[in-house]
């Protein structure tokens, strides 16, 4: 296996290839959702990460929200999220607030992601689980995906999030095995990522699992195929593959711009390995067209027209459900005191705040 030399790498200020250029987001649906997110003080990863697919996903009723703040305890070389020590700070009202806010939006699919919180005794698992559970109470129609960290290998914390029953449980392996130590934080590992994905299937064999790979960051094509095979062996159902783009000059450089043709070959390989669905293209991100992926792979596999029709029906139902919730109190707490009371009632017991050794 040959490793690219510096002569093979694209110049630092070279223009991006044409297949990486997208039209700026806009339209009535995009504008309405953007305004509503601000009114509800709900911040989306779609905007903060400047995702190129934000307009497309929002128009289809899909969005990704961040839980547990915006300071990550890990420092991966591909990620622009602020690294630091949150010192255990957690807004106990967030599960109720986020669930209530999302319930009022006309979304048919929401991705809940999180920063790594190694400063918390359970890594934030119970916080995520409460958010998922509350949203399911408010909007039984909505599809929920959780895109989570590895919880430091503590599999009981993985169990906590699985037991909340998100429709899809996702964790990104990010890069091929050889690049893990160079690109990801030292507390991450290829084996640990595979272990948590396997654990989800062990805990709940019916739970849909998902992962994502970045390319163009120093890997070889055969290594991508090897990673796909390892993910499939771990029971992963859905996979996305997309082009790495450098957030700032401080982050890992782009090694190459992978062509659309090569992405098509990755997708074909994923299908041969038995993934229920694979999205592989330059602008694909881990939550790319998540509602469509779920419907096509789980609800209407092998029938594109039926999937398209169901997506439209689900979006209309989601908008109607959100309008009903937005127009009435319906027992949803509206004041700070009500939120605090509900949060206090769901505080985790002290016995659960003891860090245990990773399970095997």
């Amino acid at each position: 296996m040959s490793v690219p030399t510096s002569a093979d790498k694209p110049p630092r200020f070279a223009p991006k290839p044409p297949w990486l250029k997208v039209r700026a987001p806009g339209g009535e649906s995009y504008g309405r959702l953007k305004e509503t997110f601000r009114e509800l003080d709900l911040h989306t990863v779609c905007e903060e990460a400047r995702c190129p697919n934000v307009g497309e996903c929002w128009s289809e009723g899909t969005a990704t929200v961040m839980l547990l703040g915006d300071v990550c305890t890990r420092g991966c070389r591909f990620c622009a999220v602020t690294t630091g020590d949150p010192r255990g700070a957690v807004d106990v009202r967030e599960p109720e607030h986020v669930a209530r806010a999302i319930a009022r939006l006309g979304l048919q699919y929401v991705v809940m992601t999180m920063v790594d919180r190694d400063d918390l005794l359970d890594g934030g698992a119970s916080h995520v689980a409460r958010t998922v559970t509350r949203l399911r109470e408010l909007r039984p129609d909505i599809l929920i995906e959780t895109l989570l960290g590895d919880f430091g290998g503590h599999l009981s914390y993985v169990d906590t999030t699985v037991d909340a029953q998100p429709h899809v449980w996702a964790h990104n392996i990010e890069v091929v095995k050889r690049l893990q130590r160079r690109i990801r934080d030292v507390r991450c590992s290829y084996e640990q990522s595979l272990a948590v994905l396997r654990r989800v299937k062990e805990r709940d064999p019916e739970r849909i699992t998902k992962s994502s790979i970045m390319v163009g960051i120093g890997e070889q094509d055969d290594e991508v195929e090897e990673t796909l095979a390892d993910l499939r062996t771990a029971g992963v159902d859905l996979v996305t593959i997309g082009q790495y783009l450098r957030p700032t000059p401080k982050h890992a450089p782009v090694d190459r711009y992978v062509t659309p043709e090569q992405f098509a070959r990755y997708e074909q390989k994923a299908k041969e390995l038995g993934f229920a669905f694979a999205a592989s293209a330059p602008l694909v991100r881990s939550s790319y067209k998540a509602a469509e992926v779920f419907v096509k792979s789980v609800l209407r596999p092998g029938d594109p027209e039926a999937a398209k029709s169901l997506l439209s029906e689900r979006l209309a139902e989601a908008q109607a459900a959100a309008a009903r919730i937005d127009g009435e109190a319906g027992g949803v707490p509206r004041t700070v005191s009500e939120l605090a009371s509900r949060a206090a009632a769901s505080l985790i017991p002290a016995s659960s705040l003891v860090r245990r050794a990773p399970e095997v």
Side-chain angles (χ1 to χ4, degrees):
M1 178 183 65
S2 62
V3 177
T5 65
S6 58
D8 299 319
K9 302 180 188 299
R12 179 176 173 183
F13 299 107
K16 294 182 177 64
W19 59 78
L20 288 173
K21 297 178 181 178
V22 295
R23 183 176 300 177
E28 180 181 349
S29 178
Y30 173 82
R32 182 176 63 253
L33 275 175
K34 186 179 179 71
E35 181 180 353
T36 306
F37 283 136
R38 296 293 76 76
E39 290 174 354
L40 297 174
D41 192 28
L42 196 65
H43 298 282
T44 69
V45 179
C46 317
E47 294 174 282
E48 294 179 13
R50 300 181 182 181
C51 178
N53 309 305
V54 58
E56 190 176 10
C57 287
W58 283 14
S59 67
E60 296 175 358
T62 300
T64 302
V65 298
M66 179 84 83
L67 303 177
L68 290 161
D70 58 1
V71 177
C72 184
T73 52
R74 301 190 189 179
C76 299
R77 293 194 63 217
F78 63 87
C79 183
V81 173
T82 301
T83 299
D85 181 4
R87 299 181 182 277
V90 175
D91 181 357
V92 297
R93 300 169 298 175
E94 185 178 58
E96 181 68 37
H97 170 71
V98 169
R100 175 167 55 86
I102 293 174
R104 295 174 58 189
L105 298 171
L107 299 175
Q108 63 169 318
Y109 195 109
V110 64
V111 181
M112 294 183 185
T113 189
M114 59 178 284
V115 289
D116 281 295
R117 291 296 302 268
D118 299 295
D119 59 315
L120 301 178
L121 290 175
D122 71 347
S126 58
H127 189 93
V128 172
R130 287 197 297 275
T131 310
V132 172
T133 300
R134 183 57 177 148
L135 179 55
R136 289 176 66 95
E137 292 173 353
L138 295 173
R139 282 279 306 279
D141 65 292
I142 202 168
L143 296 171
I144 304 172
E145 174 180 324
T146 52
L147 175 57
L148 307 177
D150 58 23
F151 298 104
H154 293 267
L155 299 182
S156 60
Y157 305 155
V158 174
D159 294 347
T160 297
T161 60
V162 175
D163 292 347
Q165 299 186 332
H167 296 85
V168 176
W169 198 99
H171 169 71
N172 292 341
I173 202 161
E174 306 295 5
V175 292
V176 302
K177 188 173 184 177
R178 177 174 57 85
L179 297 176
Q180 292 281 321
R181 188 57 61 242
R182 187 194 310 174
I183 301 300
R184 300 177 80 190
D185 186 274
V186 69
R187 286 162 286 187
C188 306
S189 81
Y190 191 79
E191 292 76 14
Q192 190 160 279
S193 288
L194 292 175
V196 299
L197 288 163
R198 279 194 300 269
R199 178 61 170 217
V200 177
K201 284 296 188 183
E202 292 168 359
R203 184 71 173 183
D204 185 353
E206 300 302 315
R207 197 62 41 203
I208 303 298
T209 53
K210 179 179 177 183
S211 195
S212 184
I213 309 170
M214 292 181 296
V215 295
I217 198 168
E219 74 296 323
Q220 295 292 300
D221 293 332
D222 60 338
E223 292 178 304
V224 177
E225 295 185 4
E226 178 186 24
T227 304
L228 287 170
D230 288 341
L231 289 171
R232 189 70 196 105
T233 299
V236 174
D237 301 293
L238 313 176
V239 67
T240 63
I241 309 171
Q243 171 71 51
Y244 166 69
L245 296 175
R246 191 182 200 182
T248 74
K250 295 181 180 179
H251 291 82
V254 173
D255 179 79
R256 59 171 176 158
Y257 290 117
V258 179
T259 65
E261 293 76 18
Q262 182 57 51
F263 275 107
R265 286 190 282 272
Y266 294 150
E267 183 172 327
Q268 180 58 38
K269 181 63 176 180
K271 291 178 179 177
E272 292 172 0
L273 288 168
F275 285 93
F277 194 92
S280 177
L283 292 174
V284 163
R285 296 297 179 262
S286 58
S287 303
Y288 175 70
K289 296 173 75 68
E292 180 178 324
V293 169
F294 187 87
V295 169
K296 286 184 174 179
S297 62
V298 180
L299 301 182
R300 294 294 186 272
D303 193 339
E305 288 303 315
K308 182 178 180 181
S309 176
L310 182 58
L311 278 166
S312 297
E313 292 172 11
R314 285 192 52 80
L315 181 57
E317 291 171 2
Q319 292 171 341
R324 287 195 298 271
I325 289 175
D326 198 35
E328 60 185 38
V332 180
R334 297 286 177 173
T335 68
V336 172
S337 59
E338 286 177 292
L339 288 172
S341 297
R342 184 180 291 276
S346 62
L347 287 177
I348 55 179
S351 60
S352 68
L353 297 178
V354 178
R355 186 181 295 283
R356 294 182 290 273
E359 298 177 23
V360 296

